[in-house]
Amino acid sequence: MVANIINMTSTKFVEENKDRLIEELKEFLKIKSVSADPAFAGDVQACAGFVENSLKKAGVAHTEICETDGHPIVYGEHIVDEKLPTVLVYGHYDVQPADPVELWDSDPFDPVIRSTETHPEGAIFARGACDDKGQVFMHVKAAEFMIKEGKLPCNLKFMIEGEEEVGSTNLGIFVKENVEKLKADVILVSDTSIIANDVPSITVGLRGLSYMEVEVTGPNRDLHSGIYGGAVANPINILCKMIASLQDDRNKITIPGFYDKVMDVSAEERAEMGRAPFDLEDYKSDLNIDDVHGEEGYTTNERASIRPTLDVNGIWGGYTGEGAKTVLPSKAYAKISMRLVPNQEWEEVSKLFQEHFERIAPKSVKVKVTPHHGGQGAVIPTNFAAYQAASKAMETTFGKKPIPERSGGSIPIIALFEEVLGLKSVLFGFGLASDLIHSPNEHYGLFNYFKGIETIPLFYENYAQLKE
Amino acid sequence: MVANIINMTSTKFVEENKDRLIEELKEFLKIKSVSADPAFAGDVQACAGFVENSLKKAGVAHTEICETDGHPIVYGEHIVDEKLPTVLVYGHYDVQPADPVELWDSDPFDPVIRSTETHPEGAIFARGACDDKGQVFMHVKAAEFMIKEGKLPCNLKFMIEGEEEVGSTNLGIFVKENVEKLKADVILVSDTSIIANDVPSITVGLRGLSYMEVEVTGPNRDLHSGIYGGAVANPINILCKMIASLQDDRNKITIPGFYDKVMDVSAEERAEMGRAPFDLEDYKSDLNIDDVHGEEGYTTNERASIRPTLDVNGIWGGYTGEGAKTVLPSKAYAKISMRLVPNQEWEEVSKLFQEHFERIAPKSVKVKVTPHHGGQGAVIPTNFAAYQAASKAMETTFGKKPIPERSGGSIPIIALFEEVLGLKSVLFGFGLASDLIHSPNEHYGLFNYFKGIETIPLFYENYAQLKE
């Protein structure tokens, strides 16, 4: 009954260190590690230093900052015994941009604790609180507990990157160049969510991503809409027509070949998904919408997980200030991303998009299509030791067996880990879908943060036992 | 042959005062009188003061600044003899916003003179150089010449407003409240263009305008496009669909009732329009476009003058910064304007737009439609004294009879002048379509500026003679 002893102890560790665990996470959250914006490059660098230092303080024997062509990767290694199994913990210390900043109730980089309906015991509000600093820090603190108590039953490696929010391009290169260094038995990632604080779950599917930027150019300069309007193609009108044509009346994506490799999900699996707790009225009321909107023939949960999508993430062009300006602009832009399902190749889809978008442009405009980044989707099996160790750990701390769940989000690097390192991942996230990641007022429940620190040590214990 | 004597003299006035005429205009152009943006309210006020002072210096006997609920109107009056005819000069001292400022080759509010292919003798580059400060200032300087030389053969009134670029709402109120004060025989306006410096023309038609702002709201907050994408309406995708549906495959506007009041132009008038000098290849090459784009069944000149249009003047929503952000935004916005032709009622069209836009919105979003401003189109007759006086004046100074031309632009207040004051207007503009009004690098040819100062006195003389 080793697991139970450790559980009591990790619980006690949390109980006795609550204030310190919160204060240390706050320091982490104060650093503006926005990877997408070059203006924050110095903050991202400083954040890598903070992570390395935290690993050192946790007692991790070897740490280093690995420079890349972009933001650095923090690497750590704590080898208990070469014969024991090795867990590679992956996470990211970079965060999404905070804008629109004016919609935050508090400074996104000055963490504060407030209670919410979902988090009556309090949640910490800051950009990156849940995605992914709070979840990375659970691993640092779980390691600290296990190392200092001398209870670590396996070897640990850490790979915490700074470019997850911009496509992990340099991590991909790093992984390919460091196959020996990264040798392990499994990868453990906390960058996903559970269904609810009383409905634990483990993510077993991720969508892939293809992210494009398009530029439509009409005339070579901004024109007066009175003098030229009606006679010269307006790039905004044309861009709207082009975007509108990408989805038909049934909300199917019209790019030729787009669905060719989509793997259909069996009726059994869809039936099982349908049994997960979900209330459409609650869903609509939480978002204040009168109706959902998606691909014909699929439920809301299916649309958001097992089906591919196309969303405009940003659009701009012409006059966007106060008042009225009668301009016929020279250019219009959009950022368009597609979520992909397992078997769709993201690079192939990006190419299909580009060719299609160029083909449908009328002769009156010029278009430029630039792929941003992308990644493969993934399906995680539930019948291997690491999944079972994670499931058992959650069952102990939550008192309920977690539900295997397919998520609509993307962690493109998961497919690359499997391809390059031959390693499966366990998606051991503790966030909630309502934590407003990527939105103003992102937060992370203290319940979830502490629960993670309690549960991770049990995973190590269970995993070591199962691998014996 | 009084006209010829005055012509020589106004030519001489320009010859002898070129440097001063340029320097004074530069001072006018330095004032940032951007009416659309409240941040410039102080500059707009200062600009009104500059205009009043210029009229005083020109010798105009009575001047005043008339406050409104918005920006002030500058009024001036110079009565030579109550029995003589009275010309009311209308113009505006406010300007369009200068953005995108980064596309200007020089500071938009620091006027400089450069030569261009079209203006080998130099043009003055600044926001408002042509629209409308440069053209207003021609009238101030023409009055200065006529008053100081004691040659003014009619009475003059000036009404120079500060809200033309934002819809002239308060000028409309001012006109209605000051019918007696504004009593005149004709209105003279220089806020349009000629076909080319060797092809003089007078505008005899203007389009109306209806300018709308729309807001589409999906979920109540920005969402993660992985977790919600595909299941929740993305307001940008929906806005694009809605905008795209406003024009059909033949580029006809689909708003029910939109064309009901459009007056068809006779085959004769279209044939006459077709005789105006126009080279489609030059037009395309000037704009660097491979094809024009507009309503099926009409030529480029017809599309830009006698047919109504619908242009998106601005669009924005979601993430528009550098890099990629996988957001499903809460809101998307657009500014959409329609150019109207004579007989279309702008308020009726605004209402048709609003009702249609609200009707086509799917239940998954909420839309808000806000009308900005608008105005009626106008047709100017060519068979009344003031038009003939203007035509004769141009014939003298250009050496060619001007072509009557219908323009695609809008000066909504012209229809109101006729309705409230019972006065026709003469659209006596000297700009060129290529002067980049409303665009970066707006400029006004020195040839055109000086030609206006030379020609306006001849108009007064011809008009007084014809009215005798």
Side-chain angles (χ1 to χ4, degrees), chain B residues 444-460:
Chain B
Y444 191 41
L446 295 181
F447 169 88
N448 306 71
Y449 177 50
F450 295 144
K451 191 62 87 184
I453 302 173
E454 275 179 67
T455 311
I456 292 164
L458 295 195
F459 168 81
Y460 295 136

Side-chain angles (χ1 to χ4, degrees), chain B residues 71-92:
Chain B
H71 302 305
I73 293 158
V74 183
Y75 180 75
E77 200 175 280
H78 194 84
I79 307 298
V80 179
D81 183 333
E82 293 288 353
K83 293 190 295 290
L84 290 171
T86 300
V87 177
L88 172 56
V89 175
Y90 163 75
H92 64 96

